[in-house]
Amino acid sequence: MSTLLTTFDTWKPRQSSNSSDDLIAELVRRKLLPQHTHLSRNIPVDFQLAPEKVLSVVETLQPDLIVCCGMAEKRSHLTVEANGKHQGDILYTSLPLKTLVEQTQSTKISHNTGRFVCNYLYYSVLKYIQVHQLKTQCLFVHVPPLNPENLEITVRDFSTILKLLQPVVSS
């Protein structure tokens, strides 16, 4: 089973990094990523470029699972997003979010991906999967700003989610 993980770049001058990319870098450093995981990091925070770049990688790799990650500056814990919205259309992930979060320490399910590029990327990937009738699964995960208090639990929860997704997606 192959997995594609994506992260965003920063979008404000005051940001030294994006917590989504920091989290994936930490997982790489600790060797906690599943086998056959591909990374597309520092996606531009741009409504047109983000989906173009990610969908280009999806077309090339044809992964079984896509996990898009973005930073949620005002959240304090990891959140898995239930849906992406665009112009009144709402597309939901088919992944068992409740089962995933029940086995984590602090991750929550969110029904509000926001109105920024994160939401549009999630919607665009879900729409692409729908239109092309792919068996590929997709999830969007919002990552809070990382700090010494939440780093370990965030790494543990995200790693747990990735492990739990492996058998779900490959079945």
Side-chain angles (χ1 to χ4, degrees), residues 20 23 76 78 92 94-96 102 108 121 144 153 156 163:
S20 68
L23 175 60
S76 59
L78 215 56
Y92 293 88
S94 58
L95 292 167
E102 285 175 345
K108 307 281 187 242
L121 174 62
I153 197 165
R156 195 172 325 118
K163 285 177 191 164

Side-chain angles (χ1 to χ4, degrees), residues 99-122:
T99 303
L100 293 177
V101 300
E102 285 175 345
Q103 297 185 53
T104 64
Q105 267 188 283
S106 71
T107 301
K108 307 281 187 242
I109 297 172
S110 166
H111 298 276
N112 182 7
T113 312
R115 290 182 277 169
F116 199 46
V117 179
C118 292
N119 172 63
Y120 189 64
L121 174 62
Y122 195 23

Side-chain angles (χ1 to χ4, degrees), residues 51-107:
E52 282 178 7
K53 180 163 172 116
V54 171
L55 292 175
S56 171
V57 175
V58 168
E59 286 177 8
T60 302
L61 291 177
Q62 298 181 4
D64 301 297
L65 173 65
I66 303 162
V67 180
C68 300
C69 304
M71 180 163 73
E73 284 189 299
K74 295 181 178 153
R75 295 187 189 174
S76 59
H77 51 271
L78 215 56
T79 50
V80 292
E81 298 295 343
N83 59 67
K85 303 170 187 168
H86 182 64
Q87 297 180 339
D89 190 20
I90 303 173
L91 297 177
Y92 293 88
T93 184
S94 58
L95 292 167
L97 300 184
K98 188 174 181 214
T99 303
L100 293 177
V101 300
E102 285 175 345
Q103 297 185 53
T104 64
Q105 267 188 283
S106 71
T107 301

